[in-house]
């Protein structure tokens, strides 16, 4: 076995070098989004492409394939859930995927995505879809080519969905979404037929410094570790990681709205706590990150919605919030505040949507991805199709493309296909994991009212976070919750929560 | 020639990839020194080592050697000062140097330097030289080995001096320093025999925010371009560059002393203006940086001392400074202020030393480097030797090693040898370049009194900055000033300036 250990050490050395390159690249991006002066932009794009290229070259090195082949019997001799067996197994999946795509295609795609993203940053404020249309047509073409590196699919979107949410495909997402839609639409109808929650007091002047301070206090209390992280301001909030010891989040502030900074901080802290909770033994390997888009999103949504928009949470935090903003919140009761941060309404923007209508935004985008890839919808007709579908689903007409088809960055910086289903999978899974945690620790809601989140955080670390990518999404869902993916806990959660606020 | 152009393009592509890696590595360091949370330290060291290793591997690739060989006749067919001829010529010097040192040695040295630096950060505050002594002994050993990769030297320090200050060696620095010393010592003696300048008003409470704002206003006015740079806080100020479009400086604030932030900002802005002034056509190549330690330092010292500590500069800026700090500077005249920021005194710390005594600090270190490398002084005896020599040169005894042999980071993070002479070369050159600029633009002092620095900045850009590393230090000194390195302009500058303040 000494020989196997040597090969394993060789594999780990190579993977850590690749991890170092990827983490340096993540820092290039973080800096660009936070502090970089305008003059740095041009070289930064090139630097990032160089690091990505070297990382890719090093990963698809046939020596890695050979090591993985040689190590296969060794991996199979170890327990399935051992770190080493998992490393060899998961790296093989990544390697097979990476070696199927030609390096020339990866380079072409990255260059196109950078151009396309740049054009989008100008087209969106200018409400000018035609400016990005040819780029988006090329994106669709490249997305199809990407899928075609993985022949044998049932639907052309399948490989793209599988990259983000391992184990899912168009047909399974479609039927899951149909099931969820049948439950959601009556709830949305029932709620929106009733008078909307009063939330004008959230739309007053809330000074930046106090908003940032309160949001920081909240995420610290939830369990985000500032010794291994920090918060900086950006245009679009995100979470990023440079090592398990350095997991950062970014935030933005709207001084005329209280909800933005707080809930986006809690959302990103949810992503970050997942990464901070990964077993340190996995550091420097491909296992040291979250396991899928959907499972990752489940954690941002758990902390943002199930915790951060719960009555118990606000029983603890609302008095503190009032201390920060005594004038603005004068005369606003806990109950009124709770209703306001859970206001349900049909609205234009996915990221601003409430828990109940949010998934309808995702389904619309998911269906368009399939139609575009199938060829039953053209990029040219997309803006019009968006308006029609939006009217049908939301009873609202977007006033322009800016808040329609130009709204989300995803298609302008990545593939068409696989980009959105993870958000709804995350919502579904958040309730499934939370329900399991609650079963193990019935005291969680009582603790929350005391500002204590240790039982929940501990369960999530033990059952989900610490594993990183050792288990794929279906495996970790089954292990942590005791059943495969199911919408029942989520529907039950929504019905209980909104049933107490509205007549359903 | 089409074939040559292809080879040149290939060379440039390879060099740009290396430049990208080095710039990403510089960002890893900048982030570590500014914003990185403590948890990030361990992985960051490894990430930085990985990028350095890949960069070194790519640079010593025999393919680069072959391209340089093939391109030699092409380079010789071009004008000496053309960008392409310079690129090929300078890269060859770098390549020959890099390939002489074994990659194993580079890795060993980098790991040792990181350990040694870490130990120093603990040993200095603890005033514990014995803690770093064995590490420093190894540094000396490795420094000798480094020199021995370049056999045929006259003095073992020569290769190390040549790395930092191309064209210089122990004997030439020694005779230059002897010449300078003979001039300096009588000046120091004369000044320190007279009553010291009154500067108590500099040592009051000066709030951080205003200090930072004033320092920023000053460097902006001098010509530091904030579209291609920014200022952040660190423990030790430095300048760093991620591309010609992104040249940053860092600063620190002592609220009980006015001089620190301002002059260190101007110093670092001087380094940064050199880099910002490099011809954009050199971007992504090894030519896109300053040409030597001494020439680089000449620019920080030009802006810090010749400009920033001149009476003309303060005629413009002092009223503005008084607007920032009306209470603290009440009743302090321009003349008093000017004398205070040019106070000459024998002091313990090199970086805090005035223009006149500064070079004595450098000479002491330079002589010790030679003695250590020669073997006539041991690391064990260094603290005692430092105390003795300091008493001899300064008439002061350092109270401890913290402000003695542990004072500067250089030997704890790099080689012993070549680390210090550049500071004094910089002082000498600052006056030599300034004198040449003044000859071309006699209006410079008059402009300065109006807060205008364009004639000086323009001359420096045209004669020095824009060339980057196209010309080595001796070449650029000759081209810009019309003569080889000489101490005369510096001595004349000191005598005129301090002759007006003291009886010399």
């Amino acid at each position: 076995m000494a020989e196997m250990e040597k090969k394993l050490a060789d594999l780990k050395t190579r993977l850590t070098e690749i991890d170092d390159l990827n983490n340096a690249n993540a820092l290039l991006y973080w800096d660009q989004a936070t502090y970089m002066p305008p003059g740095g932009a041009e070289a930064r794009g090139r630097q990032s492409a160089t690091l990505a290229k070297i990382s890719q070259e090093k990963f698809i090195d046939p020596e890695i394939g050979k090591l993985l082949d040689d190590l296969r019997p060794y991996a199979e001799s170890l327990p399935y859930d051992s770190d080493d067996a998992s490393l060899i197994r998961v790296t093989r999946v990544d390697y097979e995927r990476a070696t199927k795509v030609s390096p020339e295609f990866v380079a072409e795609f990255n260059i196109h995505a950078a151009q396309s993203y740049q054009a989008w940053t100008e087209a969106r404020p200018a409400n000018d879809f035609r400016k990005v249309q040819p780029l988006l047509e090329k994106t669709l073409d490249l997305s199809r080519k990407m899928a075609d590196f993985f022949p044998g699919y049932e639907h052309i979107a399948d490989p793209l969905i599988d990259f983000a949410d391992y184990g899912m495909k168009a047909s399974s997402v479609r039927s899951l979404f149909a099931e969820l839609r049948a439950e959601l639409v009556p709830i949305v109808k029932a709620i929106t037929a009733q008078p909307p929650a009063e939330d004008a007091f959230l739309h007053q002047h809330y000074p930046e410094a106090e908003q940032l301070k309160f949001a920081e206090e909240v995420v610290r209390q939830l369990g985000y570790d500032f010794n291994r992280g920090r918060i900086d301001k950006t245009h679009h909030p995100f979470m990023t990681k440079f090592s398990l010891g350095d997991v950062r989040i970014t935030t933005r502030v709207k001084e005329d709205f209280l909800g933005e900074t707080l809930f986006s901080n809690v959302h990103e802290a949810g992503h970050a706590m997942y990464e901070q909770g990964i077993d340190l033994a996995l550091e420097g390997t491909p296992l040291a990150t979250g396991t899928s888009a959907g499972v990752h999103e489940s954690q941002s949504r758990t902390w943002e919605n199930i915790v951060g928009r719960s009555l118990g949470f606000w029983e603890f935090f609302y008095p503190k919030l009032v201390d920060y903003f005594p004038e603005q919140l004068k005369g606003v009761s806990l109950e009124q505040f709770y209703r306001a941060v859970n206001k349900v309404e049909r609205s234009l923007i996915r990221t601003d949507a409430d828990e109940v209508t949010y998934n309808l935004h995702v389904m619309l985008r998911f269906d368009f991805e399939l139609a575009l890839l199938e060829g039953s919808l053209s990029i040219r007709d997309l803006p019009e199709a968006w308006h029609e579908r939006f009217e049908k689903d939301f009873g609202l007409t977007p006033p322009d493309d800016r808040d329609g088809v130009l709204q989300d960055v995803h298609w302008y910086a990545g593939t068409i296909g696989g980009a959105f289903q993870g958000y709804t999978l995350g919502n579904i899974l958040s309730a499934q994991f939370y329900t399991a945690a609650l079963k193990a620790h019935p005291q969680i809601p009582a603790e929350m009212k005391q500002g204590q989140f240790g039982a929940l955080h501990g369960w999530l670390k033990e059952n989900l976070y610490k594993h990183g990518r050792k288990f794929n999404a279906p495996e970790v869902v089954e292990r942590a919750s005791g059943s495969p993916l199911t919408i029942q806990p989520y529907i039950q959660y929504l019905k209980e929560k909104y049933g107490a606020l509205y007549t359903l």
Side-chain angles (χ1 to χ4, degrees), chain A residues 85-106:
Chain A
S86 303
L87 177 66
I88 297 163
R89 182 177 69 242
V90 173
T91 305
R92 165 167 294 283
V93 174
D94 291 351
Y95 182 77
E96 283 172 0
R97 179 177 289 165
T99 49
K100 277 186 181 147
V101 184
S102 80
E104 294 71 30
F105 178 83
V106 173

Side-chain angles (χ1 to χ4, degrees), chain A residues 224-245:
Chain A
Y224 176 67
D225 179 358
F226 280 87
N227 276 318
R228 298 190 291 140
R230 52 176 290 123
I231 305 178
D232 297 272
K233 280 173 62 187
T234 41
H235 194 57
H236 292 284
F238 61 90
M239 182 280 295
T240 186
K241 192 189 65 173
F242 312 126
S243 68
L244 293 176

